[in-house]
Amino acid sequence: MTQVEARPQAGDTVMGGPEGGVRKKGLGDNSVGLMGGAVIGVSTVAPVYCLTATLGPTVTEVGLQMPAIFLAGFIPMLLVAFAYRELNRAVPDCGTSFTWSVKAFGPKVGWMCGWGLLVATIVVLSNLAGVATSYFYLLLGEVTGSESVAALDGDKAAHILTTLAFIAIATAISYRGITATKWVQYALVGLQLTVLVIFAVMAVTKADDVAGSLDFSWSWMNPFGIESFTAFTAGLSLSIFIYWGWDACLSINEESTGSARTPGRAAMLAMVVIVASYLMIAIASQMYAGIGDKGTGLGNPDTADNVFAVLAEPVMGSGLGVLLFLAVVASAAASLQTTFIPVARTALAMSTYQAMPASFAKIHPRFKTPGRATVVAGVATGLFYAVMSLVSENVLIDTIYALGLMICFYYAITAFACVWFFRRELRRSPRDLAVKGILPGLGGLMLTAVFGQTLYDIRDPAYGSGSSVFGIGSVFVIGVGLLLLGVVIMLVMQRRSPEFFRGEVLTKETPALVVED
């Protein structure tokens, strides 16, 4: 079906003024409300998937302080959320971090911020699809009682083909529009949160009867109990990863009711639900399984990347344990679908402002979605996962560690963009000073510190899975390599689209008028 290009022509009306302002993209208006936005935010984070993939690595880094590090990771995310909320109120644009950082710091910084978001999302999508595949076969094995069916996950060809099928299905659903996405998410998010509560209650109830179990201690909530700063930043990087995605509800600001306020409120609501879920499961899992490196212990390196696969039956029994497998499949599949939202809309915005090829700015006339950008994101995700799976057996753990670097990169830029964009308003009131200056600035500084320490640490081949490329840690190669690839592509685009990089399309500015409560 023919698609309509969203690039504006001379004389088009744009949001924020006729020149240098943000532009409407042709997306469907008033499609998502507060609850729908919050559900999409929770879904994109994928709490069940994040927990099964990171409980083990986090315990390996920080031991009993896992709940503390989960709480510590929430703090910079909350501070950055203030930046997102305030920037969205002033400039509600689906390009979010890209658009805002261009307006604050100019085209090159903004382009790299947008690239950080794009590449982080592609990496997350590939991991989500892989986890969905693993638990899909585990679930089938439990339902059919066949070990040979469950063992299909270990067949590389079957695993890759099934993963590509999941990616194709998620791409197709996202292609059809935000309304279809929203209603699917209500069911999948509801299932995830219900199963997490059941798991937590049963784990705490059975904890006294299990070897290696622990009594709850308030000392688990103390981040100063972590042995070293290196361990702290490694754990914090993982913790930041598990919160990533809450900003997806900001990417649909142009499709939300009350675009200036509703997405920010949805983001805050989503984050409260997420942090409560993480603390509940971290404490319950630690009480039941302990942190030992044998059997069901959370520190067991053989089960570190898939903790729920080991804990499901002991905690919930063979009957209800299937529900946990189903919840992981639902979590990964739901997030796989919604994670296409920020990548497609960021690519749409970058194309609309001539920072990316024009084809990404095409809007489907019926579904009102960035169809071309969504399909390209799906293809890129499939290629990345297939290549990385064939190259490295440790792709899941190493890309998760690398993700922390990329997430810190573009979140920190967005936080600092808020401070600089509103710099002339910081003296207007104590509220403006706090929510537009101090809080986002602190969040940006925290994320910058984690970025710098992580960049230093990941040079060590022992970091992450312990694999290396020419003596350099594979986490470093993945994280830094993808960011440097962005620099190369930016230089190519600068030759193809000099107007954007001269600041003639989307201009640097401070707000002339800010929406008030």
Side-chain angles (χ1 to χ4, degrees):
M1 185 176 288
T2 304
Q3 297 191 47
V4 180
E5 188 167 322
R7 282 180 184 262
Q9 306 299 320
D12 279 357
T13 301
V14 297
M15 299 159 58
E19 296 182 0
V22 296
R23 299 164 172 170
K24 287 187 176 294
K25 320 296 186 307
L27 297 165
D29 295 330
N30 299 318
S31 299
V32 183
L34 174 63
M35 188 58 65
V39 166
I40 286 173
V42 173
S43 175
T44 306
V45 171
V48 182
Y49 150 72
C50 285
L51 286 166
T52 192
T54 58
L55 283 172
T58 305
V59 164
T60 300
E61 297 293 347
V62 302
L64 289 170
Q65 265 44 58
M66 177 172 59
I69 207 70
F70 280 0
L71 193 57
F74 171 71
I75 293 172
M77 292 295 99
L78 178 63
L79 298 177
V80 171
F82 283 107
Y84 272 77
R85 187 185 69 177
E86 297 304 316
L87 286 166
N88 180 73
R89 292 173 66 195
V91 188
D93 185 86
C94 71
T96 59
S97 293
F98 158 75
T99 304
W100 301 331
S101 53
V102 169
K103 287 195 154 298
F105 299 130
K108 290 184 179 179
V109 174
W111 199 97
M112 284 304 300
C113 186
W115 172 257
L117 188 156
L118 289 174
V119 73
T121 308
I122 294 297
V123 174
V124 166
L125 282 167
S126 67
N127 278 288
L128 286 166
V131 170
T133 296
S134 295
Y135 274 87
F136 173 71
Y137 282 119
L138 282 173
L139 179 62
L140 284 183
E142 287 290 322
V143 171
T144 61
S146 171
E147 292 184 3
S148 60
V149 172
L152 283 173
D153 183 52
D155 184 310
K156 183 164 288 189
H159 181 93
I160 291 175
L161 288 174
T162 306
T163 299
L164 294 179
F166 272 115
I167 293 170
I169 293 169
T171 303
I173 295 174
S174 298
Y175 185 87
R176 291 183 62 84
I178 197 68
T179 302
T181 297
K182 179 182 67 174
W183 289 109
V184 171
Q185 295 308 316
Y186 277 120
L188 296 179
V189 170
L191 172 65
Q192 288 183 65
L193 296 179
T194 300
V195 173
L196 285 180
V197 171
I198 295 172
F199 174 85
V201 170
M202 297 186 73
V204 172
T205 302
K206 294 183 176 181
D208 292 338
D209 303 325
V210 180
S213 63
L214 301 169
D215 293 329
F216 172 75
S217 171
W218 284 106
S219 65
W220 298 352
M221 311 299 291
N222 176 21
F224 297 103
I226 298 172
E227 294 182 355
S228 68
F229 187 66
T230 297
F232 178 82
T233 54
L236 196 59
S237 181
L238 286 166
S239 182
I240 287 169
F241 159 70
I242 66 175
Y243 288 106
W244 181 87
W246 57 267
D247 53 312
C249 46
L250 276 299
S251 298
I252 56 172
N253 45 24
E254 295 183 44
E255 299 154 271
S256 300
T257 57
S259 61
R261 294 182 176 86
T262 301
R265 292 170 179 169
M268 292 293 185
L269 178 57
M271 291 189 71
V272 170
V273 172
I274 293 161
V275 70
S277 300
Y278 285 165
L279 288 176
M280 174 182 68
I281 296 300
I283 292 170
S285 299
Q286 208 157 271
M287 289 178 66
Y288 178 87
I291 61 169
D293 58 3
K294 305 293 183 183
T296 59
L298 298 180
N300 187 341
D302 295 329
T303 61
D305 62 347
N306 206 346
V307 169
F308 285 157
V310 178
L311 294 182
E313 185 170 342
V315 172
M316 302 180 72
S318 58
L320 289 177
V322 174
L323 281 179
L324 190 54
F325 293 156
L326 179 61
V328 177
V329 174
S331 178
S335 184
L336 183 62
Q337 180 195 338
T338 54
T339 303
F340 276 102
I341 292 172
V343 68
R345 281 148 185 79
T346 298
L348 166 66
M350 293 179 76
S351 180
T352 299
Y353 300 122
Q354 302 174 34
M356 292 281 277
S359 60
F360 294 139
K362 295 180 184 293
I363 296 294
H364 195 285
R366 176 184 171 191
F367 301 130
K368 301 298 181 183
T369 60
R372 181 71 61 83
T374 302
V375 171
V376 171
V379 172
T381 298
L383 285 174
F384 180 83
Y385 189 83
V387 170
M388 292 301 288
S389 294
L390 293 172
V391 168
S392 172
E393 293 293 336
N394 302 303
V395 62
L396 182 61
I397 292 213
D398 284 343
T399 53
I400 286 174
Y401 275 97
L403 271 171
L405 189 74
M406 290 178 280
I407 292 166
C408 288
F409 176 77
Y410 85 85
Y411 273 167
I413 292 176
T414 307
F416 292 135
C418 179
V419 178
W420 189 248
F421 185 78
F422 292 113
R423 64 191 183 279
R424 295 178 184 172
E425 298 186 11
L426 300 183
R427 297 182 181 180
R428 195 174 65 175
S429 70
R431 178 198 177 276
D432 285 337
L433 178 62
V435 301
K436 297 176 182 177
I438 294 174
L439 297 179
L442 284 174
L445 288 172
M446 293 174 69
L447 291 171
T448 301
V450 176
F451 178 87
Q453 183 65 38
T454 302
L455 192 62
Y456 177 81
D457 293 336
I458 61 178
R459 297 178 304 167
D460 186 349
Y463 197 96
S465 69
S467 59
S468 63
V469 178
F470 301 116
I472 302 173
S474 60
V475 178
F476 184 94
V477 173
I478 294 170
V480 176
L482 289 173
L483 289 177
L484 290 178
L485 176 62
V487 175
V488 174
I489 296 175
M490 181 182 70
L491 294 175
V492 173
M493 287 305 305
Q494 188 172 2
R495 294 179 64 87
R496 293 185 57 182
S497 184
E499 296 87 355
F500 168 78
F501 289 94
R502 288 198 298 260
E504 297 171 3
V505 180
L506 186 62
T507 61
K508 291 173 62 176
E509 63 181 57
T510 53
L513 177 65
V514 177
V515 180
E516 298 291 347
D517 285 326

